[in-house]
Amino acid sequence: MAWRGTVGRGFSAEEFEAYIHTLTFGAWRPKFAVVHNTSAPSLAQYRAWKQRHPPITGEQWMHNLVGYYRDEQGWSAGPHLFVADDKIWAFTPLTVPGTHTPSWNPISWGVETVGEFDKEPFDGGVRDNLVSALASLHSLMGWSPKDYKIGVRGLHFHKEDKGTTHKHCPGKNMVKTNLVNAVAEKILAMNSGEHLADRPAGV
């Protein structure tokens, strides 16, 4: 299968919001976002990478992931985003289908969150960046994270896919109700309470 390309760039929350408004969508558009956790690396491991001499940079990690997904797994793409405590890393372009969960690859964005959230707390910078990234994506597409129907719309967790073997992803410390509420609140804060459901993507 042909590789669908890689962005390989890290953004602050504000930079990511600006970046997604530069995108041009063709025939493919996702219906919802699916949240994952990386497990490997854990958040502790990710932070340790940066303390090495020389450090493993986010750019190097993105390059290594190409080798893993494309060359080792033989996939045409990987997840769309890897959200860490320092940056939101764009991997597979948001304008094409990714590979991240068996049942919903053709219709969803895959958003990986750096951490092992069965053991590590879901808080601080990684939580803030995930909430911001999801709010930006939902605002762009005119979605509500609370308007949920499995496999159709609303914010999804990986473990909700009956086709996956990852039955705990994204981990017990990431509580879906809390995340959905935080994303909804962030959307309101970003858009001064305006209703955006009728705004087309990219406008």
Coordinates of all heavy atoms in Angstrom, one line a residue, residues 1 17-18 25 60-61 70-71 76 126-127 131 134 147 179 190 192 195 197-198:
M1 N 0.8 -1.2 0.0 CA 0.0 0.0 0.0 C 0.9 1.2 0.0 O 1.9 1.3 0.7 CB -0.9 0.0 1.2 CG -2.0 -1.1 1.2 SD -3.1 -1.0 2.7 CE -2.0 -1.6 3.9
E17 N -4.1 25.3 16.5 CA -5.3 25.9 16.1 C -5.2 26.7 14.8 O -6.0 26.6 13.9 CB -5.8 26.8 17.2 CG -7.0 27.8 16.8 CD -8.3 27.1 16.5 OE1 -8.4 25.9 16.8 OE2 -9.2 27.7 16.0
A18 N -4.1 27.4 14.6 CA -3.8 28.2 13.4 C -3.5 27.2 12.2 O -4.0 27.4 11.1 CB -2.6 29.1 13.6
F25 N -9.5 20.2 2.6 CA -10.0 18.9 2.6 C -10.6 18.6 1.2 O -11.2 19.4 0.6 CB -11.1 18.7 3.6 CG -10.6 18.7 5.0 CD1 -10.3 19.9 5.7 CD2 -10.5 17.5 5.7 CE1 -9.8 19.8 7.0 CE2 -10.0 17.4 7.0 CZ -9.7 18.6 7.6
Q60 N 12.7 13.5 15.7 CA 13.3 12.1 15.5 C 12.3 11.0 15.8 O 12.2 10.0 15.1 CB 14.5 12.0 16.5 CG 15.2 10.6 16.3 CD 15.8 10.4 14.9 OE1 16.4 11.3 14.4 NE2 15.5 9.3 14.3
W61 N 11.4 11.2 16.8 CA 10.4 10.3 17.1 C 9.4 10.1 16.0 O 9.1 9.0 15.6 CB 9.6 10.7 18.4 CG 8.6 9.8 18.9 CD1 8.6 8.4 18.8 CD2 7.3 10.1 19.5 NE1 7.4 7.9 19.3 CE2 6.6 8.9 19.8 CE3 6.8 11.3 19.9 CZ2 5.4 8.9 20.4 CZ3 5.6 11.3 20.5 CH2 4.9 10.1 20.8
R70 N 5.2 2.3 8.5 CA 5.3 2.0 7.0 C 6.2 0.8 6.7 O 5.8 -0.1 6.0 CB 5.9 3.2 6.3 CG 6.1 3.1 4.8 CD 6.8 4.3 4.2 NE 8.2 4.2 4.7 CZ 9.1 5.2 4.5 NH1 8.7 6.3 3.9 NH2 10.4 5.1 4.9
D71 N 7.4 0.7 7.4 CA 8.3 -0.3 7.0 C 8.1 -1.6 7.7 O 8.3 -2.7 7.1 CB 9.7 0.2 7.2 CG 10.0 1.5 6.4 OD1 9.3 1.7 5.3 OD2 10.8 2.4 6.8
S76 N -0.4 1.9 5.4 CA -0.4 3.0 4.5 C -0.4 4.3 5.3 O -0.1 5.4 4.7 CB -1.6 3.0 3.7 OG -2.8 3.0 4.4
V126 N -0.2 17.4 29.4 CA -0.7 16.4 28.4 C -2.2 16.5 28.4 O -2.9 16.5 27.3 CB -0.2 15.0 28.7 CG1 -0.9 14.4 30.0 CG2 -0.5 14.1 27.5
R127 N -2.9 16.7 29.5 CA -4.3 16.9 29.5 C -4.7 18.2 28.8 O -5.6 18.2 28.0 CB -4.9 16.9 31.0 CG -6.4 17.1 31.0 CD -6.8 17.4 32.5 NE -8.3 17.7 32.5 CZ -8.8 18.8 32.3 NH1 -8.1 19.9 31.9 NH2 -10.2 19.0 32.4
V131 N -7.1 18.4 25.5 CA -8.3 19.1 25.5 C -8.3 20.2 24.4 O -9.3 20.4 23.6 CB -8.6 19.7 26.8 CG1 -9.8 20.7 26.8 CG2 -8.9 18.7 27.9
L134 N -8.4 18.5 20.8 CA -9.8 18.0 20.5 C -10.8 19.2 20.3 O -11.6 19.1 19.4 CB -10.2 17.1 21.6 CG -9.5 15.8 21.7 CD1 -9.9 15.0 23.0 CD2 -9.7 14.9 20.5
D147 N -22.5 15.0 21.5 CA -23.5 14.4 20.6 C -23.0 13.0 20.1 O -22.5 12.9 19.0 CB -23.8 15.3 19.5 CG -24.9 14.8 18.6 OD1 -25.7 13.9 19.0 OD2 -25.0 15.3 17.4
L179 N -13.4 14.2 30.2 CA -12.7 14.7 29.0 C -13.8 15.4 28.1 O -13.5 16.5 27.6 CB -12.0 13.6 28.3 CG -11.3 14.0 27.0 CD1 -10.2 15.0 27.3 CD2 -10.7 12.8 26.3
M190 N -13.1 29.0 23.4 CA -12.4 29.4 22.2 C -13.3 30.3 21.3 O -12.8 31.1 20.5 CB -12.0 28.2 21.4 CG -10.8 27.4 22.1 SD -10.6 25.8 21.3 CE -10.3 26.2 19.6
S192 N -16.2 32.0 22.2 CA -17.0 33.0 22.9 C -18.5 32.6 22.9 O -19.4 33.4 22.9 CB -17.0 34.4 22.2 OG -15.6 34.8 22.1
H195 N -22.4 29.1 18.6 CA -22.7 27.8 18.1 C -22.1 27.6 16.7 O -22.3 28.4 15.8 CB -24.2 27.6 18.0 CG -24.6 26.3 17.4 ND1 -24.4 25.1 18.0 CD2 -25.3 26.0 16.2 CE1 -24.8 24.1 17.2 NE2 -25.4 24.6 16.2
A197 N -22.1 24.7 14.7 CA -22.4 23.4 14.0 C -22.6 23.6 12.5 O -22.4 22.7 11.7 CB -23.7 22.8 14.6
D198 N -22.9 24.8 12.1 CA -23.2 25.1 10.7 C -22.0 25.6 9.9 O -22.1 25.9 8.7 CB -24.4 26.0 10.5 CG -25.6 25.5 11.1 OD1 -25.8 24.2 11.0 OD2 -26.4 26.2 11.6

